[in-house]
Structure formats: C-alpha cells, structure tokens
Amino acid sequence: MSETRSLAEVEDLARRAARGGGLPWDLADEAGRAVRLLCIARIDGCAALAALLAHPRAHQDKSLAPMDLRDRVWSSRSGALCPIRSGTALSDIAGDLPPDGVGLLGVVAPVLILPFAADMARALQLPVTLSWRGAVVSIGTEGLPRALRIDRLARTRQTGLHLHPGGPGLPPAPPETRARPAPAAWAALLASASRTSSPGSR
Amino acid sequence: MSLDRVITPTILRPPERIMRLDRLGALQPSRLSFARQLLRRIAAERWVIRRTGWQLDADGNGHAVYGVDTGARHYALVVCVAGAETGVALCDGAPGPDDIARLSDSLPRVDIGRATAHELCLAKAGRDPDLWDHAVARLARGLQPDAEMVAASGVLMHSGPVLASGAHGTADRDQVADRPEMHAPFQAELLMLLLMRLFARDLVEHLARAAGGGNAARLDPDIDDALGLGLSAGLGLAAFPVSHPCLFNTWIMAREEAIGRVVALRHVRPLEWSAVRGHLAGLAASTATSRARDPMQVARNAALAAELAQLAQEMAKGPAGDRPWSRLMHWADNTLGPDGQEALASLMLEPYGDLVDGLGHCMSDRLDRDYRVDGCMSVGQVRALISTVHGWALDLDWSPGGAGALAWTKASDEFNPRLSPRAAAQAGPFELPLAIVHDAVRAWHCLGGYPANLAVAHVLLDHPEHRRATRRAQITGFAPYAEIRDNLIDAGVRPVDLIRATVSFLGATDFDPPSDRRMRVRVFAGVPAPGVGP
C-alpha cells in the first residue's frame, strides 16, 4: 500500500505542481483545493491532476478555457476543456446557473470537476446533478458522495459532461483524514512542483 | 460587570492606521495571545501533566514521555535524544510501544523523519550553547547557575521550526480544530513547547545527578520559572499573516475589539490603573535588559524605554475624568510613537479578563480555505474594493527599480522563503504570490478595461491571473483587517515587522532580531512551571 499523506501535504504539492505545470498561482490554488476535496472523498485527486498536467496543452492559458460563459454548451478553441478553468468558472457563476444546466465538451481529467460541482451545490443549497456517457451522479449540499460511477469517471481521460441544478443529492462520503495517492502520480506531481523552487542552497 | 461595560458601543481603530508595518512591528503580546489562552485553559480545567516515561542514560540518550490529561482527552510529548540530536513530537493520545519505537528512530535524525496522523506536531530541539553546560556543571556541584548567565541566555533549550497542521505528515488541522482546547490557533504547537521547557529542566537535573550524584542540586524554582524556551522565527512567519488574511483579520479584530471595550469604560478603579502601571514597569525593565544587538532594534528599544518613562509619568497622575483609558490612549496617540502606543494598548487589557478573554474564541477562521470568489460581483464593485484598500498604491512605479524591487521565492530544501532583489532572485518562474499590493494594482488596471457592470467571472475567465487579487478584495469587504497596507516587495521593507506581529500573537517575548529577516524570541519565560503529577 502506498504511504499515507496528510491532506495539507496533498494540497500543497498539488498547488505547486499545478503552478509548475504552467497554471498561474490563482488557478493552482484552485487545483490544490480540488485535489484535497477529492482525496477527502477517497478519490485519488493526485492521479487526476497528474493526468491533466500531462495533457500537451495544460499550460496554455486560453486554449483549454471555455470561450464564453453565456453559452449553453461550454467548449474551448482546442476542443478540450481544463477542469480547473471550467470548474472555477462554474463555481463563480453558481448563482446564475441556467435551470436546464450547462454542457461541457471534452473535459480532460473530468473527475476534477466534482469538487466545483460540490461548491455549486453548497452555494445554491440545492443538489446538482452531473451526467456523462450514460452515468449520472447527484451531489448533495454537504460534500462529495462515494459511488462506483465516480470511480469510473476517475479512470476516464476525457469526456463530455452535463451539469444541472436539482436531483436527489447523494449523502456525502465519510471524510477520509489521510490521502493515499498512487506513487507514480505523487512522483509526477513532485517533478512538476520542483519547477516552482528557486535554486537550492545545498 | 457594570452596565456601562455592556452597552457602550465599541469604536475600533481604523485598519488603514493599524495595518501598517511600523505598527504591526510594534505589537506586544496581550492576554489574548495564544500562549496565554493555553495557560488559562490548563489552569481553569486543571489539566494534569505526568512524566510517564524516562528512559534516558547518564549521557541523556534515550526517550522521555510527558502525558497530559485534559479531563476529556490525552496528549503526550515524546522526546527522543541520540547524541547531539534531539527531536520532539506531540502525540494525539498516549503513545504505545510501537509509536515510541517509531519516533525513537525518526525524531533524532538530522532531517527529522515523517510523522503520522498520530502526531500533531514535531520539532528539533537544541541546547543553549552558553547556559546548558554551565547549568549542568553547577548543579552537579550542588550550586545554582550564575544569575548573570541565566539572565544573559534566558533559556536552556531552543526549538527549531515547528512542523504541524499536516506538514511533514503530521495530523491535519481538521483533526483537532473542533476540540475546544485546540480551537484557538497554535494550541498544539504551544503545548509542545511548554512541555519541551519542562523537559529541558528535567534533563539538566538528570545530567547533573549523573555527574554529581548525591551532591547535585535541583534547579531553583525561581530560576526555572524565569527561563523560557528559545524560538527563532524566519520569513515563513512573516508570510503567514499575508497568506492567511481571514485568520489574521480575526486576530487583529479581536485585539482591537478588546482595546475598544477597555477604552469605552467610563470608570477605572485605582487597582486596575496601578496594575497596568505595574505591567508597563515590567516591560520597561525587560526592555532595559534586552539581548537585542540589531542596531535598529537597539534604537527602537531605547525609544520605547523613553516612551514608557513618559507614560509612567503621565499615569502617576492617576485615572482622571470620564473614560480615563480613552483619555490616556488619546494622550499616547498624540505623544508617543507606535511602540509606546501598542505597549499601552496590549497591557491596558490586563485587568479586564472578564471583559476581553471571551474574544479569544473569535480568533480562528476557516475562510482562508473555504471562501469562494463571488463571480457575480460586478467589475466596478471589485475595483472599488481594491481602491478602498490599496488606493495609495495605484499610481506607484512598480518597476524593479521602483516599488517592485524585491521578490519572494522559496528553495525546495529550505524551510523559510527568501526575499531578494528581483533580478538576483531570477523571480520569473519562482516568485511566490506574496506581492499582494502589486497584484491588486494589476487587477485594478486590468478590470478597468471592462464594463463596470459586467460580472467579474467573465473577466476571470480571460484573466485567471487576477483571481487571487479579486478574492482578496472581496475578503476585505467583510474582513477589514485582512490586508497589510504596505508594499511587501519594496526595497526598504522590513519583514521582521510581520514576524514580530505573528510572534506577539503567539505570546512570545524578548524580541531579538539578529537581522531584518529573523527574530529570536522566548516563549513561556516567567511562567511558573506547571506542576508535574505523580
């Protein structure tokens, strides 16, 4: 079994890895938080972030961002959406989410959207429902649930998603107090994070 | 409590005056400081501290365990010594034999080993190079350590950087944050330091007994009480209030509320007045014997000593008229500098535990982690929030030759960040997001290119690099003391002022900055050692 990490360690490394991967600190903060929240729900957020950072366009500011938040279906110029950029935008406009929701085309490492969907549920005080490829998960206002469908989403490299307010809202997963990231993902994040450190003293 | 204490509205000092580095760098500990909160709780709840393990040989190698029973829970300090290396951990609950074996291996390493969720904090400890050997040798001969040496060192032991709240594998803050005894900031860290001080005394006596046998003396309780534990703080503690704006707001707000409540008192009893005079005289005495050698701190101490003398003279007249503390603070505002004013402000709270101690419950906050940007707020509102707080900086020249002279960076093998000239730091890819004012100014200019009534979410989509500044601006809308109103990358910035603010809230004393980037302090100096139960 891999070594356990504190959630603070996970968030700190994920944040620095995202910055090292080319995201501004502003989005790196969001990435770190999202990874932490996934780990609390026993989803390996480190593996998801490592997959995102391995995407050839992950570091490019605009090419993975939704073009216009007023669209009913969000898409990017490159055809792939970054879950951090899309997720923060979703969280930002939680109060203005259309009743029939929004679609997102080609989300890379799509499980990283989940923490932002949970933010929306908390902000709206109303469950939100996420669907993809015939699977549906409804997230309650108290945090991310645990479901086999989510485990499958965590193994999905890229998919379209649809998010809309409402739904039954699954109860939250009992919170994990430690993270168990896959060693390869942890190593990948360490390598990316090392690019944020100035030359050492030793 | 008299009625006027309850119904008089509190007027708080404005953030643009308080949140300046020269004032934050003048803060003194007060009864709201976190070490004081811990000591009050230990006394009120009658925590029992027992030395439950002492497996140390004649050279001091081995391990010791101190158990703490709060009545509701157990904590324990485990100290492991191997030669010159000493490591300590505060355990959540009593450690079992497996824990002791694991910690005996990991704690005394030169680079301390990783912790588990069972440990709340870790640190390395070092013996004071001047006092330790002297104290052991004197006690072994049945004598007490030389009073001048005791005064000159002030500590038997120093703590290295404390790793906690998930750092190095320790338990996350969430594991304990809801416990009443851990709700205030840094309670686990301070409990560990308090027990380390106890261990330092016990180990000195143990080594003296090993060397002197039956002739060895125990440390005089008065000397024991006077000695603190040494701490050295670097730029990590300077960055702490910057990276925790919501939390720092609660600290300042609680202290300002406490000051506001006291100055609003219509009447002051002579005993309360004289108690504050006594505390100020104590501060004057410790300032006069300060160990500080940094020229700026020496000058500052001299100025503070002169101001405390003026204050003593003014207070000798006794409490006068309506709202005597308000009048005295007003006098101090017009007569003294920030050092004198803040010394009075902190020590004026001393007689009023019933009025201010409850504010200690308001000094924790999770919004630094949980606050979400309100993307529906208009661009115009965000710009207005930024200009309200940072308006003074909007037109500065932010070039490296101007207000953007320095950059914060961090090397992977160092505990503290660095602050260096921008060019030398090769800041580009490495710069830490601590240039708060510059970031706010950049966001303000960028947002100016968009319609004022546009929801800011649309701008943040194009310009995610202004998300933090937008978030911080929104935080200032409900947390008035969240932002420091000085430029932290100015060539003349003295980050030691921020360290001073942080350690004063910890409850540290004897500020001794060897440079403008570090601060040596003592904790728990002058605090009677807690009784150790059987």
Side-chain angles (χ1 to χ4, degrees):
Chain A
M1 197 169 83
S2 57
E3 186 174 10
T4 74
R5 305 280 170 181
S6 73
L7 298 168
E9 283 179 297
V10 163
E11 178 164 356
D12 177 61
L13 180 65
R15 177 175 173 270
R16 290 186 294 113
R19 174 70 186 125
L23 273 69
W25 280 116
D26 314 69
L27 290 175
D29 290 347
E30 297 285 350
R33 181 174 175 278
V35 167
R36 175 195 182 102
L37 291 173
L38 286 177
C39 291
I40 288 174
R42 208 197 285 173
I43 302 161
D44 189 351
C46 296
L49 182 62
L52 173 65
L53 296 178
H55 190 280
R57 291 204 181 90
H59 66 284
Q60 292 173 17
D61 269 351
K62 297 279 173 63
S63 73
L64 292 187
M67 284 186 282
D68 193 331
L69 302 185
R70 282 160 289 219
D71 292 341
R72 306 304 290 270
V73 177
W74 292 5
S75 61
S76 75
R77 291 188 189 94
S78 69
L81 278 173
C82 164
I84 306 301
R85 290 179 173 88
S86 310
T88 52
L90 282 171
S91 160
D92 284 354
I93 60 140
D96 285 343
L97 186 66
D100 52 354
V102 290
L104 296 96
L105 290 184
V107 181
V108 180
V111 77
L112 282 165
I113 279 283
L114 286 174
F116 301 100
D119 285 339
M120 299 185 83
R122 192 176 303 106
L124 297 168
Q125 279 302 295
L126 180 75
V128 298
T129 298
L130 194 68
S131 50
W132 69 96
R133 285 189 194 167
V136 179
V137 63
S138 185
I139 299 162
T141 57
E142 300 297 318
L144 290 175
R146 186 167 295 154
L148 280 176
R149 305 185 284 285
I150 291 179
D151 293 338
R152 281 201 294 275
L153 186 63
R155 292 193 294 272
T156 304
R157 294 167 61 118
Q158 189 171 1
T159 185
L161 297 165
H162 186 267
L163 185 89
H164 69 86
L170 293 174
E176 293 287 324
T177 57
R178 301 292 275 190
R180 291 168 178 77
W186 190 258
L189 296 189
L190 277 175
S192 186
S194 70
R195 293 197 280 271
T196 65
S197 296
S198 59
S201 58
R202 291 178 190 170
Chain B
M1 188 184 290
S2 61
L3 193 61
D4 64 282
R5 289 187 178 188
V6 177
I7 61 172
T8 309
T10 312
I11 299 168
L12 303 185
R13 300 188 294 173
E16 56 273 21
R17 178 163 172 238
I18 301 306
M19 300 307 288
R20 300 298 307 270
L21 285 180
D22 63 343
R23 187 164 296 273
L24 294 172
L27 294 188
Q28 293 283 348
S30 73
R31 46 183 315 133
L32 289 175
S33 299
F34 308 128
R36 296 280 297 276
Q37 292 196 41
L38 175 67
L39 292 169
R40 277 199 296 274
R41 183 177 289 275
I42 290 175
E45 296 178 356
R46 299 172 185 230
W47 291 13
V48 177
I49 299 173
R50 291 188 183 89
R51 202 170 84 181
T52 53
W54 189 267
Q55 303 293 321
L56 291 157
D57 65 19
D59 295 323
N61 293 310
H63 74 265
V65 183
Y66 292 80
V68 179
D69 179 358
T70 72
R73 276 186 199 83
H74 286 85
Y75 298 95
L77 179 83
V78 176
V79 192
C80 299
V81 186
E85 302 295 333
T86 302
V88 301
L90 186 76
C91 297
D92 190 12
D98 291 349
D99 293 313
I100 300 282
R102 177 171 53 81
L103 293 169
S104 294
D105 174 55
S106 68
L107 288 179
R109 288 190 205 160
V110 175
D111 289 320
I112 202 164
R114 280 180 55 74
T116 70
H118 194 204
E119 286 85 55
L120 299 181
C121 31
L122 306 174
K124 295 299 292 282
R127 300 166 187 185
D128 185 76
D130 299 320
L131 187 56
W132 184 274
D133 288 343
H134 167 80
V136 171
R138 294 276 290 190
L139 291 174
R141 287 159 51 203
L143 304 169
Q144 291 299 315
D146 178 68
E148 278 185 23
M149 289 195 68
V150 168
S153 281
V155 298
L156 284 168
M157 193 169 263
H158 302 260
S159 172
V162 177
L163 303 163
S165 295
H168 223 63
T170 52
D172 278 290
R173 167 89 181 135
D174 282 351
Q175 183 170 317
V176 298
D178 289 333
R179 301 177 188 177
E181 73 274 17
M182 294 288 154
H183 179 68
F186 301 116
Q187 296 301 282
E189 292 90 331
L190 286 161
L191 177 59
M192 183 174 81
L193 298 176
L194 182 69
L195 297 171
M196 277 171 80
R197 174 176 174 249
L198 207 54
F199 169 74
R201 189 244 354 239
D202 287 356
L203 183 59
V204 156
E205 292 182 344
H206 171 86
L207 294 176
R209 265 197 310 278
N215 292 331
R218 303 197 61 177
L219 191 63
D220 181 289
D222 289 338
I223 295 176
D224 185 20
D225 290 352
L227 290 169
L229 186 84
L231 271 183
S232 178
L235 289 181
L237 279 195
F240 186 85
V242 185
S243 50
H244 297 78
C246 295
L247 182 63
F248 197 54
N249 172 72
T250 66
W251 299 2
I252 300 285
M253 180 82 99
R255 182 172 177 271
E256 291 302 315
E257 172 69 26
I259 294 164
R261 287 184 185 181
V262 170
V263 297
L265 293 174
R266 301 195 77 96
H267 309 292
V268 174
R269 298 185 189 95
L271 266 179
E272 294 164 348
W273 192 263
S274 62
V276 174
R277 288 181 68 190
H279 288 293
L280 286 163
L283 178 62
S286 68
T287 304
T289 56
S290 166
R291 296 170 193 83
R293 297 291 172 264
D294 171 55
M296 193 169 272
Q297 187 64 32
V298 168
R300 214 163 163 168
N301 282 345
L304 174 61
E307 292 186 353
L308 289 172
Q310 278 180 280
L311 185 53
Q313 217 168 16
E314 183 67 17
M315 289 190 75
K317 299 172 188 167
D322 191 37
R323 296 192 170 90
W325 291 123
S326 176
R327 294 163 76 101
L328 187 63
M329 277 293 277
H330 188 67
W331 171 87
D333 289 348
N334 291 321
T335 315
L336 310 178
D339 286 277
Q341 292 167 20
E342 295 310 318
L344 172 61
S346 275
L347 297 178
M348 191 177 66
L349 310 182
E350 283 300 325
Y352 301 108
D354 59 340
L355 200 59
V356 307
D357 287 353
L359 292 166
H361 298 296
C362 311
M363 299 173 83
S364 302
D365 200 312
R366 293 182 186 185
L367 281 178
D368 285 315
R369 197 178 70 198
D370 295 342
Y371 178 75
R372 304 298 296 154
V373 167
D374 173 7
C376 299
M377 182 181 275
S378 74
V379 162
Q381 283 176 289
V382 175
R383 288 190 92 217
L385 285 166
I386 291 175
S387 63
T388 299
V389 175
H390 301 298
W392 57 275
L394 293 176
D395 296 323
L396 292 183
D397 162 22
W398 286 96
S399 69
L406 305 179
W408 294 76
T409 58
K410 191 169 184 305
S412 59
D413 61 351
E414 289 176 357
F415 182 78
N416 284 301
R418 302 175 187 177
L419 182 59
S420 343
R422 184 162 294 276
Q426 302 172 301
F430 309 128
E431 184 165 7
L432 299 176
L434 294 168
I436 301 305
V437 181
H438 190 201
D439 290 349
V441 170
R442 276 198 291 215
W444 186 85
H445 283 298
C446 173
L447 292 171
Y450 290 84
N453 60 357
L454 182 69
V456 74
H458 298 282
V459 183
L460 296 180
L461 187 66
D462 286 343
H463 293 285
E465 71 276 15
H466 298 313
R467 186 175 190 81
R468 293 180 117 245
T470 300
R471 184 175 184 270
R472 295 185 74 108
Q474 292 183 348
I475 285 170
T476 62
F478 60 84
Y481 299 100
E483 290 293 12
I484 289 143
R485 316 295 172 105
D486 269 297
N487 173 18
L488 302 180
I489 54 169
D490 186 85
V493 72
R494 281 176 52 86
V496 74
D497 288 334
L498 280 174
I499 302 175
R500 163 78 174 258
T502 309
V503 296
S504 78
F505 275 104
L506 279 177
T509 55
D510 307 274
F511 307 113
D512 174 11
S515 74
D516 65 3
R517 310 280 158 104
R518 291 198 71 77
M519 176 81 91
R520 289 188 293 245
V521 294
R522 295 197 297 162
V523 284
F524 299 115
V527 172
V532 177

